[in-house]
Amino acid sequence: ALCPEVLPSLRRLRVGTWEQFCGSSGQNFVARLVESKFPLLESLNLKDSYLPPEAARDLSQALSSGVFPSLRELNLIGCVIEKEGAEALLKTLSEKDAENQSCP
């Protein structure tokens, strides 16, 4: 895990380009990020990363299950996300957007 107890007030996380994380390494990083549960994280920047399908599904599940309850910004600009992972993320983000629009 990424030890959130060491950085309990982490609000912004920017991950560098994941060219070196192709395949299972990228997936493992996302899995560790999801397991760590940063409750105050407001911004997650994964710009220009490669997200294998499993990593995108893990991220999608984390977003829908409230692992990042304070998250307001998710940067996926320039990411390479395969169709299966993109569909999972799109579904989750659409649902989250609908939830946010229904709040007063």
Side-chain angles (χ1 to χ4, degrees):
L2 295 176
C3 304
E5 61 277 358
V6 176
L7 301 169
S9 61
L10 182 67
R11 294 185 187 275
R12 299 180 67 82
L13 178 60
R14 180 171 186 233
V15 178
T17 303
W18 276 5
E19 290 175 12
Q20 69 273 28
F21 288 128
C22 289
S24 64
S25 295
Q27 175 188 344
N28 291 339
F29 177 80
V30 171
R32 287 192 308 266
L33 178 67
V34 167
E35 290 169 4
S36 297
K37 299 181 183 177
F38 292 95
L40 300 177
L41 189 67
E42 296 174 354
S43 176
L44 178 57
N45 185 343
L46 301 175
K47 182 179 178 186
D48 298 327
S49 298
Y50 168 68
L51 294 178
E54 299 83 6
R57 281 195 309 268
D58 287 348
L59 181 57
S60 176
Q61 184 176 15
L63 294 169
S64 64
S65 65
V67 169
F68 306 116
S70 301
L71 193 68
R72 300 289 174 255
E73 178 182 327
L74 175 63
N75 185 348
L76 298 174
I77 293 173
C79 286
V80 175
I81 305 172
E82 295 175 28
K83 182 180 178 184
E84 181 183 343
E87 288 172 347
L89 281 169
L90 180 60
K91 181 177 185 243
T92 297
L93 293 173
S94 296
E95 290 170 356
K96 292 302 254 181
D97 187 50
E99 285 175 19
N100 291 336
Q101 289 183 15
S102 67
C103 294

